[in-house]
Amino acid sequence: MHEFELIKNYFQKLSKNSPSALNLNDDVFFDKKNKLVVSVDTYIEGIHFIDFKKPNLVIKKIIRSSISDLICKGVKPKYYFISGSGNKKSFSKSNLLKISKSLNEEQNKYNIFLSGGDTVFSNKLSFTITSIGFANEIIYRNKAKTNDDIYVSGNLGDSYLGLLVLKNKIKLSNLLSKYFITKYFMPDIQLRLVEKIKNFANTSIDISDGLFTDLDKMINNQKLSYKIFLKDIPISNNLKKILDLKKLSKVNFISNGDDYQVLFTASKNKRRIIRKIATNFKIKLTKIGSTQSIGKKSHIVDDKNTQITLKNKGYFHKF
């Protein structure tokens, strides 16, 4: 069963008396009266991270991916709670010292504060992060308009290549290996965008499961489709170098998730302010396509304006 079927069939009706739950079709809970915004994420060894050989980096990854849920909504994260299940090996004194040090570094970097949590014994390692922020308004899902421009922040694909390096599925030089592994564990989340995105975005989501999977989620309850230009999807110079050298397909790298960049739509009359904010605050914001009426099928086109069929649109949670 797909994640959204599970929610719709078993849990959505339980949230009907709580408008703040947003019908369980967004990444956050938003209590407008109290200006409270909450997100919850769970990370399991072997699914969300390969192993726990680098606990200091795994913790950085899950903290950043968790607070990105708030950032893409235009909300500055303030507090986080962390719960962990593990055994004596995963929570050894050495690992706990590394975890504590990394949490302190992330707190200083993003001005967030550990505020509680829980620990339980289990031979299956997992973490659950609850992130909290405060805002008068947020950017919702499913608020796109027909003929909106579609934008993405930063670059896509570096994290996926880092994952392939970690899995020994691709061989690179030590320098490039370090670059891509760092991007996998420490994604460049866009905190600088948090105060500005409400000035132009109609709807938004962070890219966790893959560009096209998350694009579908962003407009899943609207009578809209999209057209995306592959050539416009931003990638780093390092990734371009590897794709050219090894003759790999760009489309296979930009749709596999773990990027934690902001995906949003904006009306065409917002192009000028978006360019200005991108320049002034040194944030890379790239227009990659547009929304269309449901009468046109969603599609991706290459440099020759030929439609591309995707074998993998990203990660799907199935039960």
Side-chain angles (χ1 to χ4, degrees):
M1 184 184 299
H2 192 282
E3 175 187 15
F4 294 110
E5 292 177 273
L6 183 150
I7 292 170
K8 183 178 180 180
N9 293 339
Y10 296 97
F11 301 111
Q12 207 167 61
K13 61 185 178 183
L14 300 177
S15 73
K16 294 297 184 184
N17 294 326
S18 174
S20 303
L22 306 180
N23 208 29
L24 302 186
N25 189 49
D26 214 312
D27 287 322
V28 298
F29 165 93
F30 177 42
D31 180 348
K32 190 169 184 177
K33 181 180 178 180
N34 293 301
K35 304 178 183 180
L36 175 67
V37 189
V38 183
S39 75
V40 181
D41 291 286
T42 296
Y43 307 87
I44 300 172
E45 184 178 19
I47 297 176
H48 300 96
F49 53 96
I50 303 171
D51 53 44
F52 209 47
K53 293 178 180 178
K54 300 178 185 292
N56 54 319
L57 296 179
V58 170
I59 292 300
K60 285 177 181 274
K61 180 179 179 64
I62 66 176
I63 290 294
R64 294 187 190 193
S65 62
S66 180
I67 64 175
S68 76
D69 279 340
L70 298 185
I71 289 169
C72 75
K73 298 297 171 185
V75 180
K76 191 174 181 179
K78 187 168 184 179
Y79 304 115
Y80 71 98
F81 297 72
I82 182 167
S83 295
S85 68
N87 55 30
K88 290 181 179 180
K89 181 180 178 181
S90 52
F91 291 156
S92 65
K93 287 184 179 180
S94 174
N95 282 354
L96 289 171
L97 284 170
K98 292 174 182 177
I99 290 169
S100 178
K101 182 181 178 182
S102 283
L103 290 177
N104 185 57
E105 289 170 353
E106 296 301 281
Q107 289 189 175
N108 292 334
K109 184 177 180 67
Y110 297 108
N111 197 27
I112 55 177
F113 304 92
L114 178 62
S115 302
D118 192 21
T119 55
V120 296
F121 176 83
S122 173
N123 285 321
K124 186 68 174 179
L125 180 62
S126 71
F127 295 94
T128 295
I129 310 292
T130 300
S131 297
I132 294 176
F134 299 91
N136 293 315
E137 294 290 343
I138 68 168
I139 303 164
Y140 298 89
R141 277 194 203 173
N142 289 284
K143 296 291 183 179
K145 300 174 183 177
T146 307
N147 296 320
D148 265 5
D149 290 330
I150 299 172
Y151 288 83
V152 66
S153 68
N155 294 315
L156 305 186
D158 283 349
S159 180
Y160 179 59
L161 186 48
L163 179 62
L164 294 182
V165 171
L166 287 168
K167 288 184 172 181
N168 294 313
K169 291 188 175 182
I170 191 167
K171 298 293 184 183
L172 302 176
S173 68
N174 289 337
L175 187 63
L176 283 173
S177 291
K178 183 178 180 180
Y179 168 83
F180 288 111
I181 289 172
T182 298
K183 293 298 184 184
Y184 172 77
F185 282 118
M186 294 188 288
D188 299 319
I189 57 175
Q190 302 292 339
L191 188 62
R192 284 176 296 175
L193 191 57
V194 74
E195 301 290 348
K196 304 298 176 184
I197 191 170
K198 292 176 190 173
N199 294 330
F200 47 76
N202 289 331
T203 193
S204 67
I205 193 171
D206 70 330
I207 301 176
S208 56
D209 294 332
L211 172 61
F212 301 106
T213 296
D214 289 318
L215 182 50
D216 285 337
K217 284 190 282 187
M218 191 169 66
I219 59 173
N220 64 354
N221 283 336
Q222 294 189 267
K223 294 181 178 179
L224 292 173
S225 61
Y226 56 79
K227 181 178 183 180
I228 299 294
F229 295 93
L230 179 63
K231 65 179 177 60
D232 293 332
I233 297 173
I235 62 173
S236 67
N237 290 332
N238 280 337
L239 180 55
K240 186 178 186 304
K241 184 191 302 182
I242 298 303
L243 297 183
D244 292 343
L245 181 66
K246 296 185 177 289
K247 295 181 170 50
L248 298 170
S249 172
K250 177 180 178 180
V251 73
N252 293 332
F253 283 79
I254 48 82
S255 57
N256 277 282
D258 274 349
D259 296 299
Y260 300 104
Q261 294 299 325
V262 181
L263 176 67
F264 65 93
T265 77
S267 303
K268 296 186 186 301
N269 62 10
K270 298 293 185 180
R271 289 178 180 175
R272 185 176 177 182
I273 188 173
I274 291 171
R275 285 196 297 268
K276 184 177 180 181
I277 286 173
T279 300
N280 290 348
F281 291 88
K282 297 180 180 179
I283 306 169
K284 186 174 184 178
L285 300 174
T286 308
K287 183 166 70 72
I288 61 172
S290 60
T291 59
Q292 309 171 129
S293 67
I294 197 65
K296 298 177 181 179
K297 190 176 181 181
S298 293
H299 61 287
I300 309 134
V301 295
D302 62 15
D303 295 357
K304 298 177 181 178
N305 210 33
T306 301
Q307 188 168 328
I308 298 170
T309 301
L310 283 180
K311 292 181 180 179
N312 176 27
K313 293 184 75 173
Y315 180 79
F316 291 91
H317 303 268
K318 292 183 179 180
F319 299 88

